[in-house]
Amino acid sequence: MLWSKSLANRHIPQFRSYLEKSDYQSIERVFNNRYIAEGPVAGEFKEQLLSVIGSPYGSLAANGTLALYMALKVLNIGPGDEVIVQDTTFIATANAVEMVGAQPIFVDIVSPFDPSIDLTKIKLNKNTKAVMIAHLFGTACTNTDEVKLFCEENNVLLIEDAAQAFGVTNGKQHCGTYGTVGTFSFFADKTITTGEGGLVVTADEEINTRLMYLRNQGRIASGTFVHPEIGFNFRMTDIQCALGVAQLGKLEFIMQKKAELFARYEKRLRGHVEFLTLHQDFNHIPFRVVVFTENAHEVMEKMKADGIESRSVFYPLHKQPCFSKYQCNDANFENANKCYEMGICLPTWIGLTDEEIDYVSNSLISAI
Ligand SMILES: Cc1ncc(COP(=O)(O)O)c(C=O)c1O
């Protein structure tokens, strides 16, 4: 319900990419060079990404889903293997496991407000090859250290889906560098974007060599028709990477603006809703501002009538129609179910004005 006539007929989208003239000019340079496939700009982009992340090796991927696929594939995970995945995450985390022919095993999350995997609920068996955690919404999994230790002690691999956590670091270590392999996405709504794009990082040179073969038709570099390995085409274009370089140049600004945006939401909404649990040792770059309230889906409907595009948190994986074949017991996923029932992603993008944040916040409070 609206409380001010002057605000009628508004539309506040969930997300808008932050694109400026400088992004366009960067792409224009590639056009002028007439080299639009993967070339020198991709190399430049990759080196800059690795320097932010602090990883010695990495390979660009066509998108975050294929980055996950590459991670699993180079770790020789395939048919007959099981990979533990938290029940609350974007479907791509689990789909990548399907893509290599392995089985995702869903595990409940720590609390309705913290989508980190609940370590106490993991059951390992001889087929378990890896635990794949997803750092969601621009914060690190609150138990990242514990998960790493658990994997080491139990001799299973740790893979990190850091699609939503580029730039998220505790000052010493960046999300995505705790596991044997970590992946990132540069989809349109990510902290920095190339439209579509991804990255796989590792500290293991041999794994990186396997990644290089896999992503480029089974050869290390283009220009030869001798292919020592089976590989595919998971490359990015210099057009995309030019956008990436320009976006990277604005990373500090993006982080600052997102922090300001979060602070304003928090000031308006603290006390009215529960906020996502953050890892206090890491910086937070809100991919979305996530809040929790009873009857979130009704609340979102009411906000929609005010022209506000909110989104739910991820539908639990164990409930996904595409995974009905696994016949999971719903009673084992109390927290993931509540997270979905109570979670709301508020509009989060650079350019959202203070007045718009207040409008969204007032709409939310009034809907509750
Ligand atoms: C947690 C997570 N994993 C994986 C992906 C897949 O990335 P992409 O869309 O680039 O394939 C996404 C994308 O939104 C994501 O949020």
Side-chain angles (χ1 to χ4, degrees):
M1 210 220 312
L2 286 165
W3 54 89
S4 159
K5 281 220 173 315
S6 66
L7 297 173
N9 301 322
R10 300 193 80 158
H11 173 63
I12 303 189
Q14 171 71 194
F15 186 79
R16 241 185 225 161
S17 295
Y18 175 53
L19 296 172
E20 293 182 314
K21 197 161 181 204
S22 58
D23 296 298
Y24 177 72
Q25 284 165 337
S26 187
I27 295 172
E28 200 176 23
R29 274 198 293 277
V30 171
F31 264 71
N32 292 340
N33 289 342
R34 294 281 187 277
Y35 199 103
I36 56 171
E38 188 172 273
V41 186
E44 195 187 321
F45 181 47
K46 188 183 86 174
E47 288 315 314
Q48 290 181 8
L49 290 170
L50 293 182
S51 143
V52 172
I53 295 164
S55 176
Y57 308 109
S59 287
L60 294 175
N63 56 56
T65 309
L66 285 171
L68 285 166
Y69 166 80
M70 284 165 64
L72 291 157
K73 193 79 186 160
V74 296
L75 295 173
N76 297 318
I77 294 170
D81 296 335
E82 295 181 1
V83 177
I84 309 280
V85 177
Q86 73 217 48
D87 199 44
T88 299
T89 177
F90 183 53
I91 191 95
T93 319
N95 277 350
V97 180
E98 294 279 337
M99 208 172 165
V100 294
Q103 182 178 341
I105 303 292
F106 309 126
V107 171
D108 202 10
I109 54 174
V110 166
S111 89
F113 318 125
D114 179 353
S116 313
I117 198 160
D118 184 345
L119 271 179
T120 64
K121 303 226 174 97
I122 294 181
K123 291 193 185 88
L124 302 171
N125 65 47
K126 63 175 182 9
N127 298 325
T128 314
K129 287 288 164 350
V131 175
M132 184 147 78
I133 56 170
H135 302 284
L136 298 178
F137 302 118
T139 186
C141 294
T142 54
N143 53 6
T144 303
D145 285 329
E146 289 87 343
V147 176
K148 186 177 165 65
L149 192 65
F150 173 89
C151 289
E152 281 165 6
E153 284 175 356
N154 290 287
N155 202 23
V156 291
L157 294 160
L158 172 61
I159 302 170
E160 290 170 87
D161 178 351
Q164 301 183 6
F166 181 71
V168 179
T169 172
N170 60 9
K172 289 182 235 110
Q173 207 171 341
H174 195 288
C175 281
T177 63
Y178 284 79
T180 307
V181 184
T183 66
F184 296 85
S185 162
F186 306 115
F187 180 67
D189 64 356
K190 299 300 184 292
T191 300
I192 61 155
T193 184
T194 55
E196 299 276 4
L199 176 74
V200 191
V201 299
T202 179
D204 185 318
E205 190 175 3
E206 199 191 310
I207 289 174
N208 191 52
T209 305
R210 293 214 289 276
L211 287 168
M212 286 161 82
Y213 279 118
L214 185 62
R215 71 184 295 279
N216 192 14
Q217 309 286 13
R219 61 195 166 176
I220 294 289
S222 301
T224 169
F225 296 115
V226 180
H227 305 263
E229 303 274 339
I230 301 288
F232 307 99
N233 176 357
F234 300 142
R235 298 184 301 257
M236 288 183 73
T237 66
D238 265 21
I239 302 175
Q240 294 169 308
C241 293
L243 175 56
V245 168
Q247 291 264 310
L248 259 180
K250 298 185 288 193
L251 181 60
E252 288 296 324
F253 177 79
I254 292 171
M255 284 163 62
Q256 185 202 323
K257 283 287 158 202
K258 286 208 158 182
E260 285 169 16
L261 186 148
F262 182 79
R264 188 152 187 114
Y265 268 128
E266 198 178 28
K267 200 165 146 202
R268 293 285 176 276
L269 293 173
R270 193 61 86 184
H272 295 280
V273 290
E274 191 73 41
F275 275 78
L276 184 80
T277 309
L278 305 178
H279 193 316
Q280 294 301 329
D281 298 340
F282 283 73
N283 62 335
H284 174 216
I285 312 176
F287 168 68
R288 295 288 193 278
V289 173
V290 186
V291 296
F292 300 89
T293 183
E294 297 297 330
N295 306 320
H297 293 255
E298 278 171 49
V299 168
M300 283 189 280
E301 275 305 308
K302 289 186 191 163
M303 291 174 76
K304 194 170 164 192
D306 285 347
I308 297 162
E309 204 183 310
S310 48
R311 288 240 176 106
S312 73
V313 170
F314 300 115
Y315 192 53
L317 292 178
H318 80 275
K319 275 188 146 109
Q320 293 286 356
C322 61
F323 294 135
S324 60
K325 59 184 175 180
Y326 295 129
Q327 300 193 330
C328 299
N329 180 357
D330 191 54
N332 293 335
F333 300 95
E334 203 184 331
N335 289 331
N337 284 339
K338 276 205 188 124
C339 182
Y340 172 70
E341 282 156 23
M342 297 181 73
I344 302 177
C345 296
L346 299 175
T348 309
W349 40 274
I350 290 168
L352 203 59
T353 63
D354 285 351
E355 186 263 325
E356 284 171 323
I357 293 172
D358 294 349
Y359 177 76
V360 173
S361 304
N362 289 338
S363 170
L364 174 58
I365 293 166
S366 132
I368 291 169

